[in-house]
Amino acid sequence: MPRFLHTADWQIGRQYDRFGPEDGPALTQARLTTVERIAALGAELAVDAVLVAGDIFDAQTISDRTVRRLFMALQAFNGPWIMLPGNHDAALAESIWTRARRLNAVPDNVHLLLTPEVSLFAEQGFAVLPAPLTQRHTFNDLTEWFDHASTPPELLRIGIAHGSVQGILAEDIDSPNPIDPQRAERARLDYLALGDWHGCRQISNRIWYSGTPEQDRFKSNGAGQLMDVRIDAPGAEPQVTPIAIGEFPWLQWQRRLSVASDLDALIEELDSIERSSVINLTLEGELDLAGEQRLQTALGRAQAQHRVLEYHLAELRLIPTDEDIAALQADGYLGEVVNQLRDLQQADDHDTAREALGILSSLLRERHAGGTPA
């Protein structure tokens, strides 16, 4: 029974500048360490091959060092690595693939499918029909030639392509690099391994997108996995098992705080995340000053626990209670300032007023804790 791993969209060399100099490079490195885990998994499962359906690299211009590091990351699995160019790393006349070969960086067990022709892996029990991109975008279906390609009848017919299955995915990506949704049937394929869509998605029993193995967007689309594929014999239905492989989950939350129990639930939710993650959190509603202090403590703790925590508080109003103001000993002029900032949160510049109120209340608490009169 031939068995292989199907993965795609590694996009090695991708930069995450939005996350700053501490977290951005760590996310870039995570894409390489995930490849190392794929290699280790391939060796552990003793698969016959690893198929990578395009966008191995994020751009044609990444450094020679990164090119070498990628191929070094494959070392744990010494079986065939079958790699297809995608739109980010298309097989141009002069490309990252020609550069990798000049660098002598490509190991002997890595098979670069740079031309649309059948590759036989008789020892492993299958033939591969590739549809490499030789330019970033095309409006023709590059898998069409599969229909008429001849392969030995005893071998599985495995297609590998990078593009958008027509009429299935979102309309905004359904024009470049089109793929016929009936291609597996028309070309008598036992399996069609696809890349380009960054989430894990089954198109039919024989057509799958593996998605990127290292999540890179705030979407709940099954990213962070690869496919473990087993096929008994030509014509048999594939047995496909998604396997989680990514390092950092990306979580996007929007929560409303209206009563004290809402804050309790949010803090418990943050504390219960077991894996270091990339979190984008938006809060709205209202909070008293005591709750604000608890929230800031929880956010600080979460920032230390996770790779990235972005939070947005513009729609979260601070509403000091009478007890809050009394505890701050904000009488006289300071009391008037607190009340003015509370009221200004209703205006257009509510975010600034909210921040100022938070800073003022924090300073007042610090002064009282240190015994300094307000």
Side-chain angles (χ1 to χ4, degrees):
M1 175 192 296
R3 182 181 188 183
F4 55 89
L5 299 180
H6 162 206
T7 179
D9 298 286
W10 292 355
Q11 292 190 254
I12 300 301
R14 180 172 181 177
Q15 301 298 304
Y16 296 87
D17 295 338
R18 62 170 284 190
F19 295 121
E22 181 176 352
D23 295 315
L27 294 173
T28 297
Q29 175 62 31
R31 306 195 78 79
L32 270 172
T33 55
T34 295
V35 171
E36 292 174 349
R37 285 196 298 279
I38 293 172
L41 180 65
E44 177 187 343
L45 299 179
V47 299
D48 295 297
V50 179
L51 276 61
V52 194
D55 282 1
I56 289 90
F57 297 102
D58 187 56
Q60 302 280 2
T61 55
I62 66 169
S63 69
D64 291 351
R65 177 172 182 262
T66 299
V67 171
R68 290 191 173 96
R69 291 184 70 196
L70 178 277
F71 289 109
M72 291 178 65
L74 310 179
Q75 291 176 347
F77 178 67
N78 57 17
W81 290 87
I82 301 170
M83 294 189 171
L84 182 84
N87 59 299
H88 281 256
D89 52 8
L92 310 174
E94 176 61 31
S95 71
I96 196 165
W97 305 107
T98 56
R99 180 154 53 99
R101 282 176 166 167
R102 281 200 304 272
L103 293 170
N104 199 29
V106 184
D108 292 339
N109 63 326
V110 173
H111 303 265
L112 305 182
L113 307 184
L114 306 184
T115 55
E117 58 186 7
V118 174
S119 293
L120 299 180
F121 294 86
E123 183 178 345
Q124 289 76 24
F126 55 82
V128 176
L129 291 70
L133 284 167
T134 56
Q135 57 190 35
R136 188 173 177 88
H137 295 303
T138 177
F139 291 90
N140 299 318
D141 185 348
L142 299 181
T143 68
E144 187 174 359
W145 75 272
F146 294 179
D147 296 2
H148 310 291
S150 176
T151 59
E154 70 276 10
L155 300 182
L156 301 177
R157 287 169 65 89
I158 306 298
I160 182 170
H162 190 89
S164 174
V165 175
Q166 297 297 282
I168 303 294
L169 303 181
E171 290 184 2
D172 58 350
I173 63 168
D174 257 6
S175 54
N177 312 325
I179 297 171
D180 186 337
Q182 303 300 317
R183 183 60 63 209
E185 180 180 345
R186 296 181 193 280
R188 308 171 308 285
L189 299 178
D190 294 291
Y191 186 83
L192 177 54
L194 296 181
D196 193 34
W197 180 254
H198 279 213
C200 172
R201 182 156 184 177
Q202 180 181 8
I203 302 301
S204 72
N205 289 343
R206 300 185 184 276
I207 304 177
W208 283 77
Y209 283 96
S210 66
T212 177
E214 185 60 36
Q215 191 171 351
D216 56 3
R217 300 172 187 175
F218 292 109
K219 292 185 177 181
S220 299
N221 59 3
Q225 304 185 94
L226 50 66
M227 306 294 103
D228 177 9
V229 184
R230 308 184 198 198
I231 308 176
D232 287 336
E237 185 170 311
Q239 303 171 36
V240 183
T241 305
I243 298 177
I245 196 75
E247 183 172 354
F248 297 117
W250 287 46
L251 308 174
Q252 188 169 45
W253 294 352
Q254 185 167 352
R255 301 291 185 267
R256 182 171 186 85
L257 304 180
S258 299
V259 294
S261 59
D262 293 339
L263 178 59
D264 293 337
L266 172 65
I267 293 173
E268 182 178 353
E269 194 174 18
L270 285 171
D271 290 342
S272 67
I273 302 173
E274 296 181 355
R275 295 172 58 192
S276 180
S277 302
V278 178
I279 304 172
N280 184 282
L281 173 64
T282 299
L283 297 178
E284 58 182 15
E286 57 187 46
L287 205 59
D288 62 21
L289 295 185
E292 161 75 3
Q293 188 173 21
R294 290 183 61 215
L295 174 63
Q296 292 299 330
T297 299
L299 292 176
R301 185 167 61 247
Q303 282 182 316
Q305 291 174 338
H306 295 284
R307 181 69 269 168
V308 175
L309 173 64
E310 295 181 323
Y311 55 86
H312 312 280
L313 309 179
E315 300 302 320
L316 182 65
R317 296 174 57 213
L318 280 182
I319 308 296
T321 64
D322 292 339
E323 291 78 9
D324 287 331
I325 296 174
L328 293 175
Q329 300 177 30
D331 51 5
Y333 173 71
L334 285 176
E336 292 179 8
V337 172
V338 168
N339 287 322
Q340 287 177 1
L341 290 173
R342 177 172 57 183
D343 295 340
L344 281 171
Q345 289 182 95
Q346 304 284 359
D348 292 338
D349 201 16
H350 57 276
D351 194 22
T352 301
R354 182 200 178 283
E355 185 177 357
L357 182 55
I359 292 171
L360 177 58
S361 61
S362 177
L363 290 173
L364 288 171
R365 279 194 295 263
E366 289 177 6
R367 285 187 177 186
H368 299 327
T372 304

